[in-house]
Amino acid sequence: MALTPKLQLRQSQSLVMTPQLMQAIKLLQLSSLDLAAYVDRELEQNPLLELHDGQQAAPEASGASSAEREADESWGDAVEPESRSSIEARLDTDFGNVFPDDAPQSAERPTLPATPEPGDWSGLGAGGAYSGEGADLEAYVAERTTLADHLERQLALTVTDPTERLIGAHLIDLVDPAGYLREPLETVAERLAAPLPAVERVLAVIQTFEPTGVGARSLQECLALQLRERDRFDPAMQALVENLELAARRDYAALRRLCGVDDEDLLDMLAEIRRLDPKPGHMFGAEIVQPVVPDVIVRAAPDGSWIVELVADSLPRVLVNQSYYAKVVKIAKNEVEKTFLTECLQTANWLTRSLEQRARTILKVATEIVRQQDGFLTRGVAHLRPLNLRMIADAIGMHESTVSRVTANKYIATPRGVFELKYFFTAAIANAEGGEAHSAEAVRHRIKLMIDAESPDDVLSDDTIVKRLHDSGVEIARRTVAKYRESLRIPSSVQRRREKKAAAESV
């Protein structure tokens, strides 16, 4: 068979990942905070982009009429010397300095700052005086004291030896936000080329600082430091602190035997342990918790349906300044400048289109999720339906990967709270009677309700929960019940029985 070259003409479709398409995909999976940061970077790099905030600039002070300015400048001459003398005579006083410790008044009239426009309070200084320029609000914000700063101040007042101060400063740097020293002292001594007894001695000094318990190397040491300060670290309490794992398992019989106390004393000791702070460093320099800003909001309509809207604050509005481009491109000196301006215009147009497409896609996916989970919004988590990405993708005509990017790091505000969009995608658990499947989240909620309603004399085991769920039509295995119970941080039936018994005895 002879091999000869041939020409063939074919037609095919393929997806080309252009930079613009990659940008649109990237924007789709960003959260609202990451999107705002990305837009800020683009605004800095692209001179044709503008952030539209929907507000108009306040009129400048120079726009005031000349008559108003003349009236403001001459207000100090409104009181004549004769009228001033008559007022002083009537009131039996003068307009001089009434506080002898203050500086005497100047004979010259002070120069007054320009009067601000109505509604413009940006130049107010301390005491409400107008300073003539915008006030820096960050200058009035109190600095947050961190744990390291608090410990360093105490170290400077307590330790005078320069070598020990150096060791103490290094140990303070190693203390984590919870107040614990996680690194072994041997490693610290080797790094600093210092004797281990000197490092231990400095650590003992740091452990006397406030807050009590800081610098501890374990939970037991942290609690022991706090108990020593209260003068409550007796042998019985020491035995309790050394066997905290038994207290976590509610094995009170073993604790009574180790501590050598009766039931009443053991309950008092456990109550005192609970009053201690296991993480003393968290009271200093704790990070500010940022509230979740929802991307979508759902509210009930008068006809019983649901209205799904995008939150405007989470969507930055970016505009392309076409007039500025037309003005600048005319004065471009060479092809390099024209090429730069053309690329900026293309990038700006693609960014605006990508943001609009992102908003439409999020709204489309959220609307379908609300339609699928109408039972949850109306009657609660027990009526949450099993849902997966394919069901949403088939309903709205999109790919599963697109739905996955949309639901990542996006939140929806509903009448039942704020949830991540991925919360509504749960696995399906078969129905024992062959009916509609149950949502895994709904089954987890049902397990929690069962355990919350159990009595101290009838604590439900995992097998009992499986039987009750099977009787109600939920086909579930025992290991699945145990997994759901552990995800809810609910102890086993043995531990719950001990805890409820101890609570009943304490009452």
Side-chain angles (χ1 to χ4, degrees):
M1 183 178 64
L3 298 177
T4 58
K6 293 187 297 183
L7 293 177
Q8 293 183 348
L9 188 64
R10 294 181 179 178
Q11 289 184 349
S12 62
Q13 292 182 347
S14 62
L15 179 62
V16 180
M17 295 295 291
T18 62
Q20 292 81 6
L21 181 58
M22 295 175 63
Q23 180 193 52
I25 294 175
K26 179 181 178 181
L27 293 180
L28 193 60
Q29 60 188 1
L30 292 179
S31 63
S32 58
L33 294 178
D34 295 336
L35 179 64
Y38 179 84
V39 171
D40 289 341
R41 290 194 299 268
E42 291 295 326
L43 289 171
E44 294 177 358
Q45 300 173 2
N46 198 328
L48 302 181
L49 285 174
E50 291 183 354
L51 185 62
H52 180 66
D53 55 1
Q55 298 179 355
Q56 296 181 354
E60 298 180 359
S62 59
S65 62
S66 59
E68 293 175 348
R69 288 197 297 269
E70 292 175 359
D72 293 335
E73 293 172 357
S74 62
W75 74 273
D77 298 332
V79 180
E80 299 296 335
E82 293 79 7
S83 60
R84 172 170 174 167
S85 302
S86 61
I87 293 175
E88 291 176 353
R90 275 200 309 273
L91 298 179
D92 192 19
T93 184
D94 54 26
F95 291 148
N97 188 12
V98 296
F99 296 99
D101 294 336
D102 291 349
Q105 289 183 333
S106 175
E108 299 180 0
R109 188 174 69 227
T111 303
L112 298 176
T115 305
E117 287 294 321
D120 181 15
W121 306 104
S122 60
L124 284 180
Y130 188 74
S131 61
E133 59 183 16
D136 184 10
L137 296 180
E138 294 183 357
Y140 300 96
V141 178
E143 181 183 2
R144 296 181 63 87
T145 302
T146 63
L147 177 62
D149 295 337
H150 186 67
L151 296 178
E152 287 174 358
R153 294 190 186 116
Q154 299 178 73
L155 179 68
L157 296 175
T158 307
V159 180
T160 58
D161 184 72
T163 304
E164 293 185 350
R165 277 194 179 185
L166 179 62
I167 297 174
H170 186 73
L171 291 175
I172 290 174
D173 291 338
L174 297 177
V175 174
D176 63 9
Y180 286 86
L181 181 66
R182 304 296 185 182
E183 192 163 351
L185 294 184
E186 293 78 6
T187 306
V188 177
E190 182 179 357
R191 184 186 303 119
L192 298 179
L196 181 59
V199 178
E200 294 175 346
R201 184 168 58 253
V202 175
L203 177 61
V205 175
I206 293 177
Q207 290 179 347
T208 62
F209 293 169
E210 292 290 338
T212 307
V214 71
R217 289 159 289 183
S218 63
L219 176 61
Q220 287 82 358
E221 188 176 12
C222 179
L223 300 179
L225 291 172
Q226 299 180 49
L227 290 169
R228 286 194 183 97
E229 186 190 43
R230 301 185 181 189
D231 197 19
R232 285 288 292 117
F233 198 63
D234 52 21
M237 188 66 76
Q238 181 178 1
L240 176 59
V241 172
E242 292 175 353
N243 296 275
L244 290 178
E245 66 280 357
L246 297 178
R249 296 202 304 263
R250 274 78 174 177
D251 192 354
Y252 299 136
L255 285 176
R256 286 195 301 268
R257 183 175 64 257
L258 292 173
C259 298
V261 295
D262 55 12
D263 291 341
E264 184 178 357
D265 291 338
L266 180 61
L267 292 177
D268 293 340
M269 293 165 61
L270 290 174
E272 189 166 2
I273 289 290
R274 294 189 185 98
R275 288 194 294 267
L276 302 178
D277 189 0
K279 297 180 179 180
H282 279 181
M283 67 177 65
F284 291 93
E287 296 182 358
I288 300 176
V289 178
Q290 296 290 345
V292 173
V293 179
D295 301 89
V296 185
I297 186 171
V298 179
R299 54 188 178 89
D303 58 353
S305 60
W306 300 100
I307 300 175
V308 184
E309 297 175 335
L310 292 174
V311 178
D313 294 340
S314 63
L315 298 174
R317 297 187 59 187
V318 179
L319 302 179
V320 182
N321 196 334
Q322 298 284 356
S323 60
Y324 180 69
Y325 170 76
K327 182 188 299 184
V328 176
V329 75
K330 293 179 182 178
I331 60 176
K333 298 179 180 180
N334 48 46
E335 290 298 327
V336 176
E337 295 181 356
K338 291 182 179 180
T339 303
F340 171 75
L341 292 174
T342 303
E343 292 178 354
C344 288
L345 181 62
Q346 293 177 354
T347 304
N349 288 329
W350 268 104
L351 179 60
T352 54
R353 294 174 187 173
S354 299
L355 291 176
E356 293 175 0
Q357 181 66 28
R358 177 182 182 273
R360 289 195 297 267
T361 307
I362 292 176
L363 184 61
K364 197 172 186 179
V365 172
T367 302
E368 181 60 25
I369 292 176
V370 170
R371 190 186 69 83
Q372 295 276 2
Q373 300 293 356
D374 177 74
F376 165 78
L377 298 174
T378 306
R379 291 172 287 179
V381 68
H383 299 273
L384 194 66
R385 294 181 54 192
L387 189 66
N388 55 38
L389 297 175
R390 179 177 291 276
M391 297 172 62
I392 298 295
D394 294 341
I396 62 178
M398 290 185 178
H399 197 269
E400 291 182 44
S401 62
T402 303
V403 179
S404 177
R405 292 186 180 95
V406 170
T407 55
N409 303 317
K410 309 295 187 309
Y411 293 87
I412 181 171
T414 69
R416 297 193 176 276
V418 179
F419 300 90
E420 190 177 6
L421 288 179
K422 285 188 176 296
Y423 171 81
F424 299 97
F425 295 91
T426 59
I429 296 179
N431 194 315
E433 300 175 357
E436 185 179 358
H438 301 273
S439 168
E441 187 65 28
V443 174
R444 187 182 289 108
H445 178 70
R446 191 179 301 184
I447 293 174
K448 184 178 184 303
L449 293 179
M450 287 183 183
I451 295 177
D452 291 342
E454 65 184 4
S455 61
D457 298 331
D458 186 18
V459 177
L460 302 178
S461 63
D462 292 345
D463 292 329
T464 305
I465 295 176
V466 169
K467 184 176 182 305
R468 291 191 179 185
L469 289 175
H470 188 273
D471 294 341
S472 62
V474 180
E475 187 68 32
I476 191 171
R478 180 185 178 279
R479 62 178 179 274
T480 307
V481 171
K483 181 180 69 174
Y484 288 171
R485 176 178 52 76
E486 292 173 357
S487 67
L488 294 171
R489 296 185 178 181
I490 298 176
S492 64
S493 58
V494 176
Q495 294 180 353
R496 296 201 308 273
R497 186 177 294 106
R498 291 175 179 171
E499 184 177 358
K500 293 178 182 295
K501 181 179 179 182
E505 292 177 353
S506 62
V507 174

Coordinates of all heavy atoms in Angstrom, one line a residue, residues 81-136:
P81 N -18.3 98.0 70.0 CA -17.7 98.1 71.3 C -18.7 98.7 72.3 O -18.7 98.4 73.5 CB -16.5 99.1 71.0 CG -16.2 98.9 69.6 CD -17.5 98.6 68.9
E82 N -19.6 99.6 71.8 CA -20.5 100.2 72.8 C -21.5 99.2 73.3 O -21.8 99.1 74.5 CB -21.3 101.3 72.1 CG -20.5 102.6 71.8 CD -19.7 102.3 70.5 OE1 -20.0 101.3 69.8 OE2 -18.9 103.2 70.1
S83 N -22.0 98.3 72.4 CA -22.9 97.3 72.9 C -22.2 96.3 73.8 O -22.8 95.8 74.8 CB -23.5 96.6 71.7 OG -22.5 95.9 70.9
R84 N -20.9 96.0 73.5 CA -20.2 95.1 74.4 C -20.0 95.7 75.8 O -20.2 95.0 76.8 CB -18.8 94.8 73.7 CG -17.9 94.1 74.6 CD -16.6 93.6 73.9 NE -15.7 93.0 74.8 CZ -14.6 92.3 74.4 NH1 -14.4 92.2 73.1 NH2 -13.8 91.8 75.2
S85 N -19.7 97.0 75.9 CA -19.6 97.6 77.2 C -20.9 97.5 78.0 O -20.9 97.3 79.2 CB -19.1 99.0 77.1 OG -17.9 99.0 76.4
S86 N -22.0 97.8 77.3 CA -23.3 97.8 78.0 C -23.7 96.4 78.5 O -24.2 96.2 79.5 CB -24.4 98.3 77.0 OG -24.5 97.4 75.9
I87 N -23.3 95.4 77.7 CA -23.6 94.0 78.1 C -22.8 93.6 79.3 O -23.2 93.0 80.3 CB -23.3 93.0 77.0 CG1 -24.3 93.2 75.8 CG2 -23.4 91.6 77.4 CD1 -24.0 92.4 74.6
E88 N -21.5 94.1 79.3 CA -20.6 93.8 80.5 C -21.2 94.5 81.7 O -21.1 93.9 82.9 CB -19.2 94.3 80.2 CG -18.5 93.5 79.1 CD -17.1 94.0 78.8 OE1 -16.8 95.1 79.4 OE2 -16.4 93.4 78.1
A89 N -21.7 95.7 81.6 CA -22.2 96.4 82.8 C -23.5 95.7 83.3 O -23.7 95.7 84.5 CB -22.5 97.9 82.4
R90 N -24.4 95.3 82.4 CA -25.6 94.6 82.8 C -25.3 93.3 83.6 O -26.0 93.0 84.5 CB -26.5 94.4 81.7 CG -27.4 95.6 81.3 CD -28.6 95.1 80.5 NE -28.3 94.3 79.4 CZ -27.9 94.8 78.2 NH1 -27.9 96.1 77.9 NH2 -27.6 93.9 77.2
L91 N -24.4 92.6 83.1 CA -24.1 91.3 83.6 C -23.1 91.3 84.8 O -22.8 90.3 85.3 CB -23.6 90.3 82.5 CG -24.6 90.0 81.4 CD1 -23.9 89.1 80.4 CD2 -25.9 89.4 81.9
D92 N -22.5 92.5 85.0 CA -21.5 92.7 86.1 C -20.3 91.7 85.9 O -19.9 91.0 86.8 CB -22.2 92.4 87.5 CG -21.2 92.9 88.6 OD1 -20.3 93.7 88.3 OD2 -21.4 92.4 89.7
T93 N -19.9 91.6 84.6 CA -18.7 90.8 84.3 C -18.1 91.4 83.1 O -18.5 92.4 82.6 CB -19.2 89.3 84.0 OG1 -18.0 88.6 83.8 CG2 -20.1 89.2 82.8
D94 N -17.1 90.7 82.6 CA -16.4 91.1 81.4 C -16.2 89.9 80.5 O -16.5 88.8 80.9 CB -15.1 91.8 81.6 CG -14.1 91.0 82.4 OD1 -14.3 89.7 82.4 OD2 -13.3 91.6 83.1
F95 N -15.8 90.2 79.3 CA -15.5 89.1 78.3 C -14.1 88.6 78.3 O -13.6 88.1 77.4 CB -15.9 89.5 76.9 CG -17.4 89.7 76.7 CD1 -17.9 90.7 75.8 CD2 -18.3 88.9 77.4 CE1 -19.2 90.8 75.7 CE2 -19.7 89.1 77.3 CZ -20.1 90.1 76.4
G96 N -13.4 88.9 79.4 CA -12.0 88.5 79.5 C -11.9 87.1 79.9 O -12.9 86.3 79.9
N97 N -10.7 86.7 80.3 CA -10.4 85.3 80.7 C -11.0 85.0 82.1 O -10.6 85.7 83.1 CB -8.9 85.0 80.7 CG -8.6 83.6 80.9 OD1 -9.5 82.7 80.8 ND2 -7.3 83.3 81.1
V98 N -11.9 84.1 82.2 CA -12.5 83.8 83.5 C -11.8 82.7 84.3 O -12.1 82.4 85.4 CB -14.0 83.4 83.3 CG1 -14.8 84.5 82.8 CG2 -14.1 82.2 82.4
F99 N -10.8 82.1 83.6 CA -10.0 81.0 84.3 C -8.6 81.6 84.4 O -7.9 81.8 83.4 CB -10.0 79.7 83.4 CG -11.3 79.1 83.3 CD1 -12.1 79.3 82.1 CD2 -11.9 78.3 84.3 CE1 -13.3 78.7 82.0 CE2 -13.1 77.8 84.2 CZ -13.9 78.0 83.0
P100 N -8.2 81.9 85.6 CA -6.9 82.5 85.8 C -5.7 81.7 85.4 O -4.6 82.2 85.1 CB -6.8 82.8 87.4 CG -7.8 81.8 87.9 CD -8.9 81.6 86.9
D101 N -5.9 80.3 85.3 CA -4.7 79.5 84.9 C -4.6 79.4 83.4 O -3.5 78.9 82.9 CB -4.9 78.1 85.5 CG -4.9 78.0 87.0 OD1 -4.2 78.9 87.5 OD2 -5.4 77.1 87.6
D102 N -5.6 79.9 82.7 CA -5.5 79.9 81.2 C -4.6 81.0 80.7 O -4.4 82.0 81.4 CB -6.9 79.9 80.6 CG -7.6 78.6 80.9 OD1 -7.0 77.6 81.4 OD2 -8.8 78.6 80.6
A103 N -4.2 80.9 79.5 CA -3.4 82.0 78.9 C -4.3 83.2 78.6 O -5.5 83.0 78.3 CB -2.8 81.5 77.6
P104 N -3.8 84.4 78.7 CA -4.6 85.6 78.5 C -5.0 85.6 77.0 O -4.4 85.1 76.1 CB -3.6 86.7 78.8 CG -2.3 86.2 78.7 CD -2.4 84.7 79.1
Q105 N -6.2 86.3 76.8 CA -6.7 86.4 75.5 C -5.8 87.4 74.7 O -5.3 88.4 75.2 CB -8.1 86.9 75.5 CG -9.1 85.9 76.0 CD -10.5 86.4 76.0 OE1 -10.7 87.6 76.0 NE2 -11.5 85.5 75.9
S106 N -5.7 87.1 73.4 CA -5.0 88.0 72.5 C -5.8 89.2 72.1 O -7.0 89.1 72.0 CB -4.6 87.2 71.2 OG -3.9 88.0 70.3
A107 N -5.2 90.3 72.0 CA -5.9 91.5 71.6 C -6.4 91.5 70.2 O -7.4 92.1 69.8 CB -5.0 92.7 71.8
E108 N -5.7 90.7 69.3 CA -6.1 90.6 68.0 C -7.2 89.5 67.8 O -7.2 88.5 68.5 CB -4.9 90.2 67.1 CG -3.8 91.3 67.1 CD -2.7 90.9 66.3 OE1 -2.7 89.8 65.6 OE2 -1.7 91.7 66.2
R109 N -8.1 89.8 66.9 CA -9.1 88.8 66.6 C -8.5 87.6 65.8 O -7.8 87.8 64.8 CB -10.2 89.4 65.8 CG -11.5 88.5 65.6 CD -12.6 89.2 65.0 NE -12.3 89.5 63.6 CZ -12.5 90.7 63.0 NH1 -13.0 91.7 63.7 NH2 -12.2 90.8 61.7
P110 N -8.7 86.4 66.2 CA -8.1 85.3 65.5 C -8.7 85.1 64.1 O -9.8 85.5 63.9 CB -8.5 84.1 66.4 CG -9.7 84.5 67.1 CD -9.6 86.0 67.3
T111 N -7.9 84.6 63.3 CA -8.3 84.3 61.9 C -9.2 83.0 61.9 O -8.8 82.0 62.4 CB -7.1 84.1 61.0 OG1 -6.3 85.2 61.0 CG2 -7.6 83.8 59.5
L112 N -10.4 83.1 61.4 CA -11.3 82.0 61.4 C -11.2 81.2 60.1 O -10.9 81.7 59.1 CB -12.8 82.6 61.5 CG -13.0 83.4 62.8 CD1 -14.4 84.0 62.7 CD2 -12.9 82.6 64.0
P113 N -11.4 79.9 60.3 CA -11.3 79.0 59.1 C -12.6 79.2 58.3 O -13.6 79.8 58.7 CB -11.3 77.6 59.7 CG -12.0 77.8 61.0 CD -11.7 79.1 61.5
A114 N -12.5 78.7 57.0 CA -13.6 78.8 56.1 C -14.7 78.0 56.6 O -14.6 76.9 57.2 CB -13.2 78.3 54.7
T115 N -15.9 78.5 56.5 CA -17.1 77.9 56.9 C -17.5 76.7 56.0 O -17.5 76.9 54.8 CB -18.3 78.9 56.9 OG1 -18.0 80.0 57.7 CG2 -19.6 78.2 57.5
P116 N -17.7 75.5 56.5 CA -18.0 74.4 55.7 C -19.4 74.5 55.0 O -20.3 75.3 55.5 CB -18.0 73.2 56.6 CG -18.4 73.8 57.9 CD -17.8 75.2 58.0
E117 N -19.5 73.8 53.9 CA -20.8 73.8 53.2 C -21.8 73.0 54.1 O -21.5 72.2 54.9 CB -20.7 73.1 51.9 CG -19.9 73.9 50.9 CD -20.7 75.1 50.5 OE1 -21.9 75.0 50.3 OE2 -20.1 76.2 50.3
P118 N -23.1 73.3 53.9 CA -24.1 72.5 54.7 C -24.1 71.0 54.4 O -24.0 70.6 53.2 CB -25.5 73.1 54.1 CG -25.1 74.5 53.6 CD -23.7 74.3 53.1
G119 N -24.0 70.3 55.5 CA -23.9 68.8 55.3 C -22.5 68.3 55.2 O -22.3 67.1 55.1
D120 N -21.5 69.2 55.1 CA -20.1 68.7 54.9 C -19.5 68.8 56.3 O -19.1 69.9 56.7 CB -19.4 69.5 53.9 CG -18.0 69.1 53.7 OD1 -17.7 68.0 54.1 OD2 -17.2 69.8 53.1
W121 N -19.3 67.7 57.0 CA -18.7 67.7 58.3 C -17.4 67.0 58.3 O -16.9 66.5 59.3 CB -19.6 67.0 59.3 CG -21.0 67.5 59.3 CD1 -22.1 67.0 58.8 CD2 -21.4 68.8 59.9 NE1 -23.2 67.8 59.0 CE2 -22.8 68.9 59.7 CE3 -20.7 69.8 60.6 CZ2 -23.5 70.0 60.1 CZ3 -21.5 70.9 61.1 CH2 -22.8 71.0 60.8
S122 N -16.7 66.9 57.1 CA -15.5 66.1 57.0 C -14.3 66.8 57.6 O -13.3 66.2 57.9 CB -15.2 65.9 55.5 OG -15.0 67.1 54.8
G123 N -14.5 68.1 57.9 CA -13.3 68.9 58.4 C -13.5 69.2 59.9 O -12.7 70.0 60.4
L124 N -14.4 68.5 60.6 CA -14.6 68.8 62.0 C -13.4 68.2 62.8 O -13.0 67.1 62.6 CB -15.9 68.2 62.5 CG -17.1 69.0 62.1 CD1 -18.3 68.2 62.7 CD2 -17.1 70.4 62.7
G125 N -12.8 69.0 63.7 CA -11.8 68.6 64.5 C -12.2 68.2 65.9 O -13.4 68.0 66.1
A126 N -11.3 68.2 66.8 CA -11.7 67.9 68.2 C -12.5 69.0 68.8 O -12.3 70.2 68.5 CB -10.4 67.8 69.1
G127 N -13.6 68.6 69.5 CA -14.5 69.6 70.1 C -15.4 70.2 69.2 O -16.2 71.2 69.5
G128 N -15.5 69.7 67.9 CA -16.5 70.2 66.9 C -15.9 71.4 66.2 O -16.7 72.0 65.4
A129 N -14.7 71.8 66.4 CA -14.2 72.9 65.6 C -13.8 72.5 64.2 O -13.3 71.4 64.0 CB -12.9 73.5 66.3
Y130 N -14.1 73.4 63.3 CA -13.8 73.0 61.9 C -12.3 73.3 61.6 O -11.8 74.5 61.8 CB -14.7 73.9 61.0 CG -14.6 73.4 59.5 CD1 -15.2 72.2 59.1 CD2 -13.9 74.2 58.6 CE1 -15.2 71.8 57.8 CE2 -13.9 73.8 57.3 CZ -14.5 72.6 56.9 OH -14.4 72.2 55.6
S131 N -11.6 72.3 61.1 CA -10.2 72.5 60.9 C -9.8 72.9 59.5 O -8.7 73.2 59.2 CB -9.5 71.1 61.2 OG -10.0 70.1 60.3
G132 N -10.8 72.9 58.6 CA -10.6 73.3 57.2 C -10.1 72.2 56.3 O -10.0 72.4 55.1
E133 N -9.9 71.0 56.8 CA -9.5 69.9 56.0 C -10.1 68.6 56.5 O -10.5 68.6 57.7 CB -7.9 69.8 55.9 CG -7.3 69.6 57.2 CD -5.8 69.6 57.2 OE1 -5.2 70.0 56.1 OE2 -5.1 69.1 58.1
G134 N -10.1 67.5 55.7 CA -10.7 66.3 56.2 C -10.0 65.7 57.4 O -8.7 65.7 57.5
A135 N -10.8 65.2 58.3 CA -10.2 64.6 59.5 C -9.8 63.1 59.2 O -10.5 62.4 58.5 CB -11.2 64.6 60.6
D136 N -8.7 62.7 59.8 CA -8.2 61.3 59.6 C -8.8 60.5 60.8 O -8.4 60.6 61.9 CB -6.7 61.3 59.7 CG -6.2 59.9 59.5 OD1 -7.0 59.0 59.1 OD2 -5.0 59.7 59.7

